Amino acid sequence: MSKFKKKGNGDLPAISTASLPDIVFMLLFFFMVATVMRQNTLKVKNELPYADQVEKLDKKDLVMYIYAGKPSERYQSTFGKEARIQLNDKFADVKDIQQFIYTERESKREELVPLLTTALKVDKETNMGLVSDIKQELRRAEALKINYTTRKGESSKNNE
């Protein structure tokens, strides 16, 4: 006589889905906290040129972005078709760059100010005169760490 009895069939019990809503909400909260929302809405055409010798920036929070290019089709009726400068979410003139740099410096902690880099995201069809004017204003604001943002690839693709 045995003390243990075998079950009639060896089926596995059904998987409990009681904790499934908890897992879904936990994932939802994780992605809500971990996702970085876009900071700026791009108002200028920004097709970056190609470069074959590129380096990646380490700390993106220490970068100030200056966009330059022709206004996108949505803004051409208001701002024309000539290349413009965009600082954060608004169009600006060259003379506004210095104030933009000072404002960005004030928003950072004092020990991080020497590490700030200015990144120029310039459309490949923008004339060099505008870029030169931007660089002159950056010199006046003593923002001497400049990065030109490009796409990785053969530089011969820029002529196409």
Side-chain angles (χ1 to χ4, degrees), residues 1-51:
M1 207 156 141
S2 69
K3 293 185 178 182
F4 302 104
K5 293 183 180 180
K6 287 188 175 183
K7 292 184 179 179
N9 57 6
D11 291 340
L12 294 173
I15 296 175
S16 173
T17 58
S19 64
L20 190 60
D22 294 337
I23 295 170
V24 169
F25 282 114
M26 188 171 48
L27 286 171
L28 177 70
F29 287 128
F30 170 76
F31 286 113
M32 285 174 56
V33 171
T35 302
V36 177
M37 301 305 269
R38 180 181 292 196
Q39 293 177 345
N40 297 325
T41 303
L42 203 56
K43 295 181 178 182
V44 294
K45 181 181 173 192
N46 200 251
E47 188 176 334
L48 299 173
Y50 289 97

Side-chain angles (χ1 to χ4, degrees), residues 11-159:
D11 291 340
L12 294 173
I15 296 175
S16 173
T17 58
S19 64
L20 190 60
D22 294 337
I23 295 170
V24 169
F25 282 114
M26 188 171 48
L27 286 171
L28 177 70
F29 287 128
F30 170 76
F31 286 113
M32 285 174 56
V33 171
T35 302
V36 177
M37 301 305 269
R38 180 181 292 196
Q39 293 177 345
N40 297 325
T41 303
L42 203 56
K43 295 181 178 182
V44 294
K45 181 181 173 192
N46 200 251
E47 188 176 334
L48 299 173
Y50 289 97
D52 52 5
Q53 296 179 0
V54 295
E55 293 180 24
K56 190 168 184 162
L57 288 175
D58 292 332
K59 297 190 177 198
K60 300 238 180 193
D61 59 327
L62 297 176
V63 179
M64 302 172 286
Y65 293 100
I66 298 177
Y67 301 94
K70 293 180 182 177
S72 59
E73 290 183 24
R74 179 177 172 188
Y75 299 101
Q76 282 183 358
S77 62
T78 309
F79 296 102
K81 295 184 179 183
E82 291 296 316
R84 301 285 311 238
I85 299 171
Q86 179 182 340
L87 305 173
N88 289 336
D89 276 341
K90 63 181 185 199
F91 286 109
D93 291 324
V94 176
K95 61 181 172 49
D96 299 330
I97 293 175
Q98 214 170 358
Q99 184 61 40
F100 169 73
I101 297 296
Y102 294 146
T103 305
E104 289 291 316
R105 284 181 183 162
E106 288 174 6
S107 69
K108 304 290 184 199
R109 295 194 322 255
E110 188 175 334
E111 63 269 11
L112 297 177
V113 170
L115 303 174
L116 288 175
T117 304
T118 305
L120 297 179
K121 288 191 169 190
V122 181
D123 184 60
K124 69 180 186 178
E125 295 179 7
T126 302
N127 66 17
M128 204 53 202
L130 180 61
V131 176
S132 180
D133 292 344
I134 293 170
K135 287 171 47 179
Q136 288 295 331
E137 282 298 312
L138 290 173
R139 283 187 195 130
R140 288 187 189 110
E142 296 180 14
L144 304 177
K145 288 177 73 175
I146 299 175
N147 172 359
Y148 292 97
T149 306
T150 63
R151 290 186 287 178
K152 190 170 185 171
E154 289 296 320
S155 58
S156 61
K157 292 181 182 178
N158 292 328
N159 298 330

